Amino acid sequence: MPKKNPSLWYQILISWPFHILFFVLRMSFLAGIVIAGWFVLQTIGILTVKVPVTGASMLPTLPEEGSVPFQRYYHNKAFEKIIPQSIQKGDIVVFENEKTHKELEKQDKDVTGFVKRVIAIQGDVVVIKDGFVYVNGQKKQEQYTLKPRSTFGGTEIQDCKPIKVPEDKVVVLGDNRKISMDSRQIGFVSIADILFYIPFEKQEEQYGLKWRDAGHDFDTEHESLFDIDLYLKLLNNERVQHDLDALNYQIKLEQSAKRRAETMLSYNEFDSKASKSGYTMKDAMNDVGYSNIVYGEFPMLGYYDAEELFDAFLEQPGARDFLLNEDYDEIGVSTFVGELNKCPVQVVVQHLAGYIPPNYGSGEIASFKEAIDRLKEIGPGWQRLTSYQEFYQQNKADVDRMNEIITIRISRFEQIEKQMEANKWLTKEQNQWIKDDEQLSQEQNQIADKLNKQ
């Protein structure tokens, strides 16, 4: 007998795995096309790519930590004819090269590139001057920077020295100029090193609310932006947190700091030894009528406001120990605006000073008391020689000099003893007396020997 045809349910039961497999393969193929298409669109810069960013160099525009949507930059001139892509001024770019790799290794950061803003492109002439950026002779108004008038030169792009951007290169700067490592330190960036970018025209909608009103940035040109009262408040808050006494503001230290600032710019020297000028902090303090036991200075170049200067000082090697030194009682700050190598610049000089009691040993004070008693004991005997007319007339010069020396030494020793008893440091003059006393003592002994032989 012929076989019966299988039922419909039987056919479905036998064939459904093949249908499911076909469906899965078909959907996988479609998903692959979608993923590949998505990747292609990202690669050619039509769709954005989330790029992790870290660090404060692009504040206020980009966050210190997070992921930011960028367009991938496909550097190929033939490709640009099909889908136009070009890096323009104002674009934010992600780039990496040998210099960025080395720097990030030093910082032990787990990222591969730098994120900065393009300021100038090939053919542009760039000058950094007085805290501003000039491109092709035009001073830029940069609302995206964290602070106004905050751009200063570095090793590669120096203040007041024009540079022309070579072909296929760009100049990049961070928006947070005072902490950013960028073209000022690492030089021009090759277009070929750029991996991602955000065109400037697409930034305002997303980031514009974070930007400043830069309409009055040029109003402060050639003026100090520094608020001394705010700076002193910040510094004293830090000292109090470290269980240190607050510093008192001393106008004479401000005056000495100004004198040193003028000298620093005149001689282009910023070390305390003042080897070129020979005009030290101590000289400046003497000229304004100020003296103290311990003192020190710390200069910095740049147009800092109070908060920036405070943060910058604490980041400088040795500055934290300097500002948090328990020996200092007073401070004066000068923000002097002048020229260095015919280039406008501000130097901020801090002068700190303090008093430490000498705490003389009992032996030191006793030695001067003994010397006074001894001189007072022998003094009357030499004074009586003036009553022996014949002897006195023959030896008048020596007798008078002997009595003069004894009187001088007693007077000086008494003043020194009084200063020590009060636990005060000896004055410059009193220290000189101690140095001179050896010679006076020798002269006294020589005269005594001569007169005794008479």
Side-chain angles (χ1 to χ4, degrees), residues 49-53 62-63 66-70 198 206-207:
V49 181
K50 288 279 190 177
V51 177
V53 297
L62 302 184
S67 295
V68 176
F70 279 82
I198 306 175
Q206 186 171 358
Y207 303 111

Side-chain angles (χ1 to χ4, degrees), residues 18-79:
F18 298 101
H19 287 290
I20 292 176
L21 177 62
F22 176 76
F23 177 78
V24 169
L25 291 174
R26 182 178 180 184
M27 294 306 295
S28 298
F29 176 74
L30 291 175
I33 292 176
V34 170
I35 292 172
W38 186 277
F39 179 76
V40 170
L41 291 176
Q42 284 187 329
T43 301
I44 64 178
I46 294 176
L47 295 180
T48 59
V49 181
K50 288 279 190 177
V51 177
V53 297
T54 182
S57 71
M58 282 301 292
L59 291 174
T61 306
L62 302 184
E64 290 189 61
E65 295 286 344
S67 295
V68 176
F70 279 82
Q71 291 180 218
R72 190 182 297 274
Y73 181 67
Y74 194 73
H75 182 63
N76 185 295
K77 291 185 177 180
F79 183 78

Side-chain angles (χ1 to χ4, degrees), residues 225-266:
L225 305 174
F226 192 76
D227 184 335
I228 290 177
D229 292 336
L230 176 57
Y231 177 74
L232 185 61
K233 180 180 178 181
L234 293 170
L235 176 55
N236 280 334
N237 285 342
E238 186 75 12
R239 285 179 65 88
V240 169
Q241 289 178 18
H242 287 78
D243 297 323
L244 299 172
D245 292 335
L247 297 172
N248 296 315
Y249 198 80
Q250 171 57 254
I251 191 66
K252 287 187 176 181
L253 283 176
E254 179 184 321
Q255 294 168 353
S256 65
K258 182 179 179 182
R259 287 173 179 261
R260 281 286 292 142
E262 291 173 344
T263 303
M264 288 175 182
L265 291 183
S266 296

Side-chain angles (χ1 to χ4, degrees), residues 75-170:
H75 182 63
N76 185 295
K77 291 185 177 180
F79 183 78
E80 288 174 3
K81 293 178 181 179
I82 302 172
I83 299 180
Q85 272 190 328
S86 63
I87 301 299
Q88 299 297 325
K89 283 175 274 194
D91 293 354
I92 298 174
V93 296
V94 177
F95 64 94
E96 60 178 75
N97 53 35
E98 185 177 348
K99 290 182 178 179
T100 65
H101 292 161
K102 287 181 178 179
E103 184 56 37
L104 291 169
E105 280 182 13
K106 288 180 187 177
Q107 299 178 22
D108 195 26
K109 288 187 175 179
D110 188 24
V111 290
T112 57
F114 278 19
V115 183
K116 307 295 175 184
R117 183 180 299 277
V118 175
I119 301 300
I121 59 177
Q122 65 178 35
D124 288 335
V125 176
V126 178
V127 179
I128 296 175
K129 180 179 178 182
D130 201 29
F132 295 105
V133 178
Y134 292 74
V135 178
N136 301 325
Q138 297 295 314
K139 184 163 46 178
K140 289 181 67 66
Q141 191 177 71
E142 301 181 283
Q143 69 273 24
Y144 40 74
T145 56
L146 182 64
K147 296 280 187 178
R149 196 176 166 204
S150 57
T151 311
F152 301 96
T155 54
E156 296 295 321
I157 304 179
Q158 300 177 24
D159 281 308
C160 299
K161 292 188 177 181
I163 59 164
K164 187 173 183 178
V165 186
E167 184 177 0
D168 289 332
K169 304 285 186 181
V170 293

Side-chain angles (χ1 to χ4, degrees), residues 374-375 378 382 398 401-403 405-406 409 437-453:
R374 187 170 61 252
L375 289 168
I378 66 172
W382 293 106
D398 288 334
R401 179 58 180 161
M402 172 63 82
N403 287 312
I405 289 174
I406 292 173
R409 294 184 73 197
D437 190 68
E438 183 179 355
Q439 184 176 347
L440 286 175
S441 178
Q442 290 177 357
E443 185 181 359
Q444 177 183 326
N445 291 334
Q446 289 171 357
I447 295 174
D449 290 341
K450 181 179 178 183
L451 290 175
N452 284 327
K453 290 178 181 179

Side-chain angles (χ1 to χ4, degrees), residues 296-311:
E297 70 179 3
F298 209 117
M300 285 190 70
L301 285 170
Y303 286 91
Y304 291 92
D305 63 24
E307 292 175 330
E308 289 173 330
L309 182 71
F310 179 70
D311 292 339

